[in-house]
Amino acid sequence: MFLPLQLEALESILAEPQPEGTLRWLVEVDCNWGIDDDPTDRGAAVVLRQIADILRDAIEEAEAARR
């Protein structure tokens, strides 16, 4: 399954300091999502944590469905 790998990568990015603008770039350019509330790396980190939560939930649901 590829979702755990994506979650691990996302958590790794959020756990380590990144060069200025990196997180914002990931959200606004790579994900093509606008950050309305706080268009900074701090705001992008919030969005990326929300994505990590969605991935975590999807992984848990998939694991529960297999039982």
Side-chain angles (χ1 to χ4, degrees):
M1 184 190 277
F2 64 92
L3 291 181
L5 294 174
Q6 291 179 338
L7 177 59
E8 183 180 333
L10 188 52
E11 288 176 335
S12 176
I13 289 168
L14 289 168
E16 297 293 326
Q18 301 298 321
E20 183 69 30
T22 299
L23 299 180
R24 187 179 58 79
W25 179 272
L26 286 172
V27 173
E28 292 188 334
V29 177
D30 288 344
C31 293
N32 196 29
W33 290 358
I35 308 171
D36 296 331
D37 295 335
D38 183 2
T40 64
D41 280 338
R42 187 175 63 229
V46 170
V47 172
L48 293 171
R49 284 188 190 96
Q50 291 170 343
I51 293 169
D53 290 342
I54 292 167
L55 286 171
R56 203 171 289 107
D57 290 344
I59 291 166
E60 289 173 7
E61 286 180 26
E63 289 174 355
R66 281 188 250 145
R67 294 181 195 146

